[in-house]
Amino acid sequence: MASDNAVDALIKQLARLPGLGPRSSRRIVLHLVKRRQQQLDPLVAVLTEFQETVVSCKECGNVAIGDLCPICTSEERVANVICIVESVADLWALERSRMYKGLYHVLGGVLSAATGVGPEELGIPRLIERVQELQATEVILGLGATVEGQATAHYIAEQIQHCNATVTSLGRGIPMGGELDYLDSGTIAASLIGRRELT
Amino acid sequence: MASDNAVDALIKQLARLPGLGPRSSRRIVLHLVKRRQQQLDPLVAVLTEFQETVVSCKECGNVAIGDLCPICTSEERVANVICIVESVADLWALERSRMYKGLYHVLGGVLSAATGVGPEELGIPRLIERVQELQATEVILGLGATVEGQATAHYIAEQIQHCNATVTSLGRGIPMGGELDYLDSGTIAASLIGRRELT
């Protein structure tokens, strides 16, 4: 490489980001060299502000500026419905649907005997406290349809039993645009179980 | 989006980089939130250093720290051979081959009547001065095998005629791993013209 330390260091650091490798990092670095005012300067400014201000919401685990995230502080959200998700990415995915108006609780993972992630690591005791504090009427288990996601959902459902909240799970079935021919039998079976009468 | 300004601003800024879009930017931002010490802090540090120190080499146009790049200041490079390339990316590609020991000259583009890029914009007068100053014995035209790349190569060859330097062009032919069946006739023709006796 015909380059200096700051260049190599940036290429290496970028290559560690998800979806980027050495080749795409080199391309980005060359792009930034050529577009100093339009791209490099704003990127440094925005990234520094992000580094200095963005933290995890103390209530729900979403990204936040200050102690609480905009969802937890919003007065327009339904405060007695909580949706439990694995990650902030999942929270954002649900927000993009614009269908959900309640609060969230980000676990930051799923229970896993293999990697030693237990209820304490996921903060499930704190979650149960929160369900009680909010006097939640509904807890939606927004966890993935994976073995570990479902095991985590079952564990949480058991722990919440005594809280007087209805526990629900996201619907399962055929995704939008999905063709039956290309879907696995598990999804087809779930879609039959979850069938609804047309109104 | 359930997020704040600094988060959205970073997603938008990252999405403007080559190879990234809104989806991959979101993924990177979530990755950075979770790995503050391991990834976010070093990235900000390295990017800031890059912003503050990296410039274009005053001699050849490569990326540099200080006035001159490591190739121009190296005593191990052959100083009377110059390879003319379109971009820093091309310079890096040649360096990766570890076959070339001379100097470079980065044009920053190719001649193009359509976009109004003429010899002045590419700094060709300065290039000719440099060929004379270095008393170059060989000038390698390392430009792409495109119509505009070749037009630029021809123009430069004409301008250099009086400089007493041999003007060469990169070899054309079958790329490593290339199968004849899948190559275009232009490449096959070039490989025939450039055929060499086995030694």
Side-chain angles (χ1 to χ4, degrees):
Chain A
M1 296 289 303
S3 50
D4 305 279
N5 288 334
V7 179
D8 283 342
L10 182 58
I11 292 172
K12 262 193 204 154
Q13 200 59 45
L14 287 173
R16 294 175 62 197
L17 297 175
L20 296 181
R23 214 186 159 82
S24 43
S25 301
R26 275 202 300 273
R27 209 170 136 217
I28 289 175
V29 168
L30 289 168
H31 182 89
L32 290 174
V33 168
K34 274 196 274 181
R35 290 168 193 78
R36 183 169 278 273
Q37 268 128 50
Q38 309 97 296
Q39 302 245 295
L40 177 57
D41 296 348
L43 178 61
V44 172
V46 152
L47 196 63
T48 309
E49 194 198 337
F50 178 86
Q51 179 195 32
E52 286 167 0
T53 58
V54 175
V55 293
S56 283
C57 174
K58 284 194 178 158
E59 277 296 318
C60 76
N62 186 13
V63 293
I65 290 176
D67 283 349
L68 298 176
C69 77
I71 296 177
C72 283
T73 51
S74 167
E75 300 205 342
E76 283 165 24
R77 310 290 299 212
V78 181
N80 58 2
V81 178
I82 307 181
C83 180
I84 300 171
V85 291
E86 185 180 332
S87 66
V88 177
D90 294 349
L91 185 160
W92 288 4
L94 283 161
E95 282 298 288
R96 281 197 296 279
S97 77
R98 295 171 188 270
M99 274 294 289
Y100 179 64
K101 295 293 163 216
L103 303 181
Y104 290 95
H105 195 93
V106 180
L107 293 175
V110 283
L111 294 175
S112 162
T115 56
V117 177
E120 287 292 334
E121 281 76 19
L122 297 183
I124 290 177
R126 169 71 198 124
L127 162 62
I128 291 157
E129 266 177 47
R130 202 172 157 224
V131 170
Q132 289 170 325
E133 281 166 20
L134 291 167
Q135 298 184 296
T137 55
E138 183 177 359
V139 174
I140 303 170
L141 297 166
L143 296 161
T146 61
V147 175
E148 292 183 334
Q150 289 314 294
T152 308
H154 277 289
Y155 178 84
I156 293 173
E158 258 181 36
Q159 301 292 310
I160 293 182
Q161 257 181 350
H162 66 282
C163 289
N164 271 332
T166 312
V167 180
T168 59
S169 175
L170 294 178
R172 306 253 180 269
I174 297 159
M176 287 299 159
E179 295 180 67
L180 269 66
D181 200 12
Y182 292 92
L183 288 169
D184 61 297
S185 346
T187 301
I188 301 278
S191 76
L192 279 167
I193 293 165
R195 70 190 182 277
R196 298 176 67 171
E197 200 177 342
L198 287 175
T199 47
Chain B
M1 295 287 302
S3 50
D4 305 279
N5 287 335
V7 179
D8 283 342
L10 181 58
I11 292 172
K12 262 193 202 155
Q13 200 58 44
L14 287 172
R16 294 175 62 197
L17 297 175
L20 295 181
R23 215 185 158 84
S24 43
S25 300
R26 275 202 301 272
R27 207 170 137 217
I28 289 175
V29 168
L30 288 169
H31 182 89
L32 291 173
V33 168
K34 274 197 271 182
R35 291 167 191 78
R36 184 168 278 271
Q37 268 129 50
Q38 309 98 295
Q39 303 245 296
L40 176 57
D41 295 349
L43 178 61
V44 171
V46 150
L47 196 63
T48 308
E49 194 198 336
F50 178 86
Q51 179 194 33
E52 286 166 0
T53 59
V54 175
V55 293
S56 283
C57 174
K58 285 194 177 159
E59 277 296 319
C60 76
N62 186 13
V63 292
I65 289 175
D67 282 351
L68 298 176
C69 77
I71 296 177
C72 284
T73 51
S74 167
E75 300 206 341
E76 285 165 23
R77 310 291 299 212
V78 181
N80 57 3
V81 178
I82 307 179
C83 180
I84 300 171
V85 290
E86 186 181 331
S87 66
V88 176
D90 294 349
L91 185 160
W92 288 5
L94 283 160
E95 281 299 286
R96 282 197 296 278
S97 76
R98 295 171 188 274
M99 274 294 290
Y100 179 64
K101 296 293 163 214
L103 302 180
Y104 290 95
H105 195 93
V106 180
L107 292 177
V110 283
L111 294 175
S112 164
T115 56
V117 177
E120 287 291 336
E121 280 76 18
L122 296 183
I124 291 177
R126 169 70 198 126
L127 162 63
I128 291 157
E129 266 177 45
R130 201 173 157 223
V131 170
Q132 289 170 327
E133 281 166 19
L134 291 167
Q135 299 186 296
T137 56
E138 183 178 359
V139 174
I140 303 170
L141 297 165
L143 297 161
T146 59
V147 174
E148 291 182 336
Q150 289 314 294
T152 309
H154 277 289
Y155 178 84
I156 293 172
E158 258 181 35
Q159 301 292 309
I160 294 180
Q161 257 182 349
H162 66 283
C163 289
N164 271 331
T166 312
V167 180
T168 59
S169 175
L170 293 179
R172 305 252 182 271
I174 297 159
M176 287 297 161
E179 294 180 69
L180 270 65
D181 200 13
Y182 292 92
L183 288 169
D184 61 297
S185 346
T187 302
I188 302 279
S191 77
L192 279 167
I193 293 165
R195 69 189 183 280
R196 298 176 66 173
E197 201 178 339
L198 286 174
T199 46

